[in-house]
Structures are given as C-alpha cells and as structure tokens.
Amino acid sequence: MRSGGLMWLLGAGTSASAGIPTAWDMIWEFKQQLYVSQRRVSLQTVADLSNPAVRSRLQDFVTSQESFPGLDTPEEYAALFEAVYPSEADRRTYIDAKISGAKPSYGHVALAALMKAGHTKLVWSTNFDPLVVDGCARVFGGTGNLTTVALDAPDLGRQTINSERWPAEIKLHGDFRSRRLKNTGDELRQQDATLRDLLVGACTRSGMLIAGYSGRDDSIMSALEEALEHVSPFPGGLFWLHRGADAPLDRVCSFLEEAAEKGVDGGLVRIENFDEALRDLIRLVPNLDTAQLDEFASERAVVSSPPRITGNRGYPVVRLNGLEVTSVPTICRRVECDIGGFKEVLEAISAAEVDVLATRSAKGVLAFGADSDVRAALSGVSITEFDLHEIETRRLRYDSQERGLLKQALSAALAREHGLSLKRRRSVDYLSPTDPADPKWAPLKRIVGNLSGSVPRQTDLTWREGIAVRLEWANDKLWLAFEPRTLIDGVVEENRAAATDFSRERSVKRYNRQLNDLISFWSDLLTADGKEMRALNVSTGVDAAFCLGTTTAFSRRSRP
C-alpha cells in the first residue's frame, strides 16, 4: 500500500441509513429489555425510547444495578449486550435479525465507486452486514472483484495486503455469515492478533477516514493508538467523521489530540450522515465514473404518507382494507425436539395449559412465550437444542411457517390490546368484541346496529359482529388485511345454508358509505395510534411486538 493513500474504517453508523440500528440505538434497546425483564412490567411503560423521561427511567435503573459500566463509557455496549444475550448463539441470531433485509445506501454505492476508481483500496469494518459487498456488486457488476476477509480466515488478510489484491474489505468483528463474531467485552478485548497487527501496519503506510465508528471497543482503539507510536503514522492523514453536535467519547478526543501532536494531518470532521458525506466527497473527485451511482440515486423514490380522504372532493381512489405492519418481531424461540407436526405442537401446548404461540418447521418448533412455558409444553419430548431463530424478511413474502407464526402473534396482540375474542379457522383469524356492552363499541353500534344475537328460527346459531384478519405481502411490505364480517357460531352441515343466508342479509346493504365508516372504525381501533402491541406481555423468554401504520392503503386511479 503506497504512502499517502486513504483507507476507510466503517462502524455501525454507516449502516443506519440502510435500516440497521446503530450501537447507540441497541444500547437503549438492551436497557429497555433489562428493565422490563427484571422489573416485570409491561413494555408499554417504557416503549418510547425517544422520550427523555423514558430514557432517564431506564438509565436510573441500570445505574442502580451497580454492575454495569457508566453511561457512554466504551464498555457499556458490550456489557449490556452480554447481559441481555449471554449465549453467543443468541447474540448471533440477534445480529442476523437486525441486518436481515438491509440494502446498501447511497453511501455504500458511492464508496464502491471510489473503490472501482482506485481511490479507496482497503476498507476496515466493525460491521457484520454485507452492505459494502452489495454496493460493490452493483458498481462492479459482481462480487468477484472484492476480497472480503473475516475472522474465519485472518491469514487471508495478510495475503491480500502483501499481494496488494485490491479492493478489499476486512471485517474486524466478523461477517454475519461467519461462525466467529465479536460483540461482548472479552471478545472485543481479544481482537484477533493477526488482524490487529495488519491494522496497525496499514495505519503506518496509509491515511484513514473513519465513519460511523464510536470508538467504544478497546481492541480497535488500542490498535489505532499503537499506530501513533510509530515514526510516521497515518501518512495520508486521519479524518474522523462525526455526527451530531455532541463531542465524541473522551478516548476518541484524546486519540485525535495525540495524533495532532504527532503532526498527523486531519482531525474531527462533523457531518450530517454517511450518505451526505459521501455525496459531498464524490463531487470533489474529478473524472469519476458515476453512472451506476446516478442510476442508483434515480431509483430512490420519494415516499410520503398517503392522505386520508375526507369530504366529497378529492382525487378518485379506492380505499383498501389493509394496514401496514410497520414493526414485526425479528427473532423467535427455536426448539429442536422429538415431536410430530403442527397438530401435535398445539396439543402439547393445550395439555400444558401455558400461554405459548408456536408452529412446526423443518428447523424445529418456532415459538413465542416465556421460556419456562415453552419448556413445560415440550417437557414430554426430548429437547436437543433451545436457542433463537431469525425471522427472515424474505420468508414473509409467502405463506411460510414464520408468517403463520406472526399472524398468530399479531392476532393475539390485537385481542389482548383491544378486548377482542379470538378464534382461528384454517388460515384466517376472527376477532370480535368480548363484551359488546362496553361503551367503547358504541360507535360500531351506530354503524351496524346490534353487535350480537341469535339467528332467527335457528336456536343453535348465534352471531357476532367482528372482523376476519390475515397477513399479506404487497408492494414489498407486510400488511394486516381485515374484513368486517358477521361471525356465526354453531354452524354444522344441517344449518350451514341458514347461517350463510343470514350473514349475506346483514352485509348486502352495506354500501360504500357504511363500508367506509366500518373500515375507518376498525382501522382507528386496530392501529392503537401506532403504539407497540405485544402478544403475550411476558417478561422472560421471547415475546412478539408489533406496530401498525395509522392510515389504510389507498389506490389512486392511474393516468395515461
């Protein structure tokens, strides 16, 4: 690597624009999980992590434990992560779930353009995601041009640098597909010796741009500090890109001050975000081929929230009975055991009389619930593995076991949140008011009249006003589809015709205005103002939490 060149060190902040949470975000999520599990309270009491009062309550709780590092200390993230997920396998599944479905942002594609032009030859990364690889695949037309080095093969890193096999990415904390990940205190302190030596050596031959990295883990900061002990560290300069108005960690400030004393060019550079920083940098590079980058930028649609249509005016639309599921669980419990199919799993849960939601897949029993309840339900079979399972976004595109489990959980969350009775029939769940006399159902009564009763001349048939719900994938999103229904109990073959006629009679005169009012009522109720809804509200094990968008889908009439 020739002196004067620039390499990059990427941290979690560079992945934020691709939908992956930063270490800072995850720290507060860990604090939230500890608070809920140890205080045994509802997650709803501390659900809004953007609320300063909630954060203050969580921090007071963590501080009172006296076993965790202080706020904003380098050790805080690792200590909390290990406390919430003691198992390495669970930590791996958690990380996999966080990066599932992420796509490269403008910054990653711009970085790939710099790599193709030879302006960037080596990228060091503390991230597990494949965003740099995906960005290069777009710009280079494939991944064959990029050498990726993870903890599985540190010697490959030495060979790559010695033979100048550029461009290259070296993952200091592992790759999401790797069996070796580093994310807790001991793991971060014991950074692979080969990769650490390579990083120190590279810092003595090249300059460095650091983006999205907080400086929290000791191993990498020690390597950067060790590089300053050499005669000519960072010959191409050292530029630490930092978001926000707050100062970096004390250790970062001390490192930059020492670098300045050593005569290293550069310093702290405040930026808005990774994408904007790369956009500005690209403009300064002459004769750069930006064809793929421009195409990528043009594909980025500007999305705005759809309006609610009111009054007699407005553009022609068809209102759809779908609510976007804006937040879904990314992990569930996985149990490998000697049990049959889905029917046997349900029978085991029923026999144990526990509150567990589960399905059967080739990978084992997938479940939500308190760990003790899951074990109790499966106590009669031989459990060989008990860990976490990532719910991959790609498997929600079709009627997979994971999507079926999420449908169970979302229906349970809606029933629990809104006082609804839940019945399951094949692929559709049915929800209806548990107590129709409750004043909360008065607006629904004004629309449809009575909410329950008996079918005339059929003493064995009773009916209830309610909805049928299911999960659907459309427009690259998951949707809760709901349909106002008259739900009838006691149907057998002999009275099926009478039940069908009664149901049709109640719905046949529900024209546009009444149907629109029904959709408005149910959508307003189900969304719960966008707040989080939990299926089981358990304090241990794995629960399922959901959020729904507050506006139903609309379809605008296409124009030529």
Side-chain angles (χ1 to χ4, degrees):
M1 189 182 304
R2 289 188 292 271
S3 175
L6 279 172
M7 55 186 179
W8 287 77
L9 172 61
L10 304 182
T14 61
S15 301
S17 58
I20 299 176
T22 65
W24 175 255
D25 297 325
M26 288 190 284
I27 282 174
W28 286 106
E29 183 179 323
F30 298 151
K31 292 177 182 178
Q32 180 189 61
Q33 292 182 47
L34 284 172
Y35 181 87
V36 170
S37 63
Q38 295 189 26
R39 295 291 299 273
R40 299 183 181 277
V41 297
S42 169
L43 181 66
Q44 295 179 5
T45 61
V46 288
D48 185 5
L49 292 179
S50 64
N51 188 330
V54 170
R55 289 197 173 189
S56 177
R57 185 189 308 177
L58 295 177
Q59 186 55 47
D60 289 345
F61 166 76
V62 172
T63 302
S64 70
Q65 300 299 295
E66 298 182 352
S67 58
F68 294 105
L71 179 66
D72 291 338
T73 56
E75 300 82 10
E76 183 183 28
Y77 167 79
L80 289 168
F81 197 6
E82 191 166 21
V84 175
Y85 296 103
S87 165
E88 189 271 341
D90 285 355
R91 292 196 294 273
R92 178 189 307 282
T93 302
Y94 174 85
I95 293 296
D96 286 353
K98 288 297 184 184
I99 66 178
S100 175
K103 297 180 180 180
S105 68
Y106 180 93
H108 296 101
V109 179
L111 180 58
L114 293 174
M115 296 169 81
K116 185 177 182 180
H119 296 296
T120 293
K121 297 174 180 175
L122 179 57
V123 173
W124 303 84
S125 177
T126 65
N127 300 333
F128 307 119
D129 60 63
L131 297 177
V132 172
V133 176
D134 292 345
C136 286
R138 174 152 192 151
V139 171
F140 285 91
T143 59
N145 299 84
L146 177 70
T147 300
T148 301
V149 179
L151 291 173
D152 293 300
D155 289 338
L156 176 61
R158 188 179 302 281
Q159 297 169 14
T160 298
I161 291 177
N162 290 342
S163 61
E164 298 188 353
R165 193 189 309 165
W166 314 129
E169 178 190 21
I170 298 180
K171 290 178 169 290
L172 294 164
H173 287 173
D175 183 88
F176 80 111
R177 293 157 296 214
S178 172
R179 289 294 301 170
R180 298 176 66 192
L181 294 176
K182 292 181 179 288
N183 227 305
T184 65
D186 289 339
E187 293 167 335
L188 295 176
R189 281 189 290 273
Q190 297 170 6
Q191 183 66 53
D192 186 277
T194 300
L195 296 186
R196 176 190 171 98
D197 290 343
L198 291 176
L199 176 58
V200 173
C203 292
T204 65
R205 300 189 298 273
S206 174
M208 176 173 280
L209 277 160
I210 301 175
Y213 174 61
S214 63
R216 290 182 182 277
D217 57 275
D218 181 71
S219 61
I220 293 176
M221 286 304 300
S222 294
L224 296 177
E225 291 163 350
E226 183 179 336
L228 289 179
E229 298 174 6
H230 289 253
V231 177
S232 300
F234 303 100
L238 173 65
F239 305 89
W240 196 299
L241 308 187
H242 180 70
R243 292 182 60 187
D246 295 335
L249 295 177
D250 291 342
R251 189 170 183 178
V252 173
C253 294
S254 299
F255 168 69
L256 293 176
E257 290 172 1
E258 184 178 353
E261 293 173 359
K262 293 275 188 177
V264 177
D265 187 25
L268 190 72
V269 181
R270 294 191 179 274
I271 63 171
E272 288 295 323
N273 54 59
F274 180 58
D275 290 350
E276 294 296 334
L278 265 293
R279 188 185 300 275
D280 292 340
L281 182 58
I282 288 293
R283 292 169 180 161
L284 300 176
V285 180
N287 304 319
L288 184 68
D289 181 4
T290 61
Q292 287 293 329
L293 188 57
D294 294 339
E295 181 181 339
F296 177 84
S298 67
E299 294 173 359
R300 300 180 70 186
V302 177
V303 180
S304 60
S305 300
R308 281 192 181 277
I309 308 305
T310 59
N312 297 322
R313 292 189 173 187
Y315 53 81
V317 297
V318 175
R319 188 177 191 183
L320 306 179
N321 57 328
L323 292 164
E324 182 184 351
V325 186
T326 57
S327 176
V328 299
T330 54
I331 56 175
C332 63
R333 183 59 68 189
R334 182 181 70 87
V335 185
E336 284 194 13
C337 58
D338 295 332
I339 197 168
F342 178 61
K343 180 180 178 182
E344 287 74 18
V345 172
L346 293 185
E347 289 173 350
I349 293 172
S350 177
E353 298 182 343
V354 290
D355 202 6
V356 171
L357 304 170
T359 189
R360 186 71 166 95
S361 77
K363 296 181 179 180
V365 175
L366 308 181
F368 293 114
D371 287 347
S372 58
D373 289 343
V374 175
R375 289 185 182 276
L378 302 176
S379 60
V381 294
S382 176
I383 297 177
T384 56
E385 283 193 40
F386 194 89
D387 57 14
L388 295 176
H389 173 76
E390 175 193 355
I391 300 175
E392 299 178 82
T393 302
R394 66 179 180 84
R395 291 184 58 80
L396 302 183
R397 297 172 181 269
Y398 57 95
D399 195 17
S400 62
Q401 288 92 344
E402 286 90 338
R403 196 168 92 176
L405 179 62
L406 290 189
K407 188 200 70 173
Q408 285 188 56
L410 179 53
S411 295
L414 293 171
R416 180 178 169 275
E417 177 71 27
H418 302 299
L420 295 165
S421 296
L422 168 63
K423 286 196 174 183
R424 295 192 169 96
R425 297 174 186 169
R426 297 181 181 178
S427 60
V428 181
D429 289 350
Y430 297 89
L431 298 167
S432 61
T434 301
D435 179 12
D438 191 311
K440 69 183 291 184
W441 303 111
L444 181 59
K445 286 183 179 180
R446 287 194 290 269
I447 300 171
V448 300
N450 292 332
L451 301 184
S452 63
S454 298
V455 176
R457 296 179 297 280
Q458 299 288 333
T459 56
D460 52 347
L461 288 178
T462 58
W463 64 270
R464 299 164 290 123
E465 184 68 27
I467 53 172
V469 297
R470 63 187 187 278
L471 284 180
E472 299 286 353
W473 185 272
N475 197 29
D476 213 33
K477 298 175 182 178
L478 192 64
W479 298 83
L480 171 70
F482 63 95
E483 181 182 352
R485 287 274 192 93
T486 297
L487 312 179
I488 301 182
D489 297 319
V491 178
V492 294
E493 192 60 38
E494 290 75 12
N495 59 24
R496 188 176 302 278
T500 301
D501 290 343
F502 178 78
S503 179
R504 183 186 302 113
E505 183 179 345
R506 275 187 60 83
S507 62
V508 70
K509 294 184 179 180
R510 292 180 178 178
Y511 301 122
N512 283 354
R513 183 179 296 278
Q514 190 176 30
L515 281 175
N516 184 65
D517 291 342
L518 271 174
I519 291 176
S520 292
F521 170 83
W522 284 111
S523 64
D524 289 343
L525 177 83
L526 298 176
T527 60
D529 293 325
K531 71 178 182 180
E532 185 178 74
M533 296 177 287
R534 295 169 67 85
L536 302 170
N537 200 33
V538 294
S539 57
T540 60
V542 184
D543 203 350
F546 300 86
C547 291
L548 298 177
T550 56
T551 303
T552 53
F554 289 90
S555 174
R556 186 197 297 263
R557 184 174 63 187
S558 62
R559 297 177 180 177

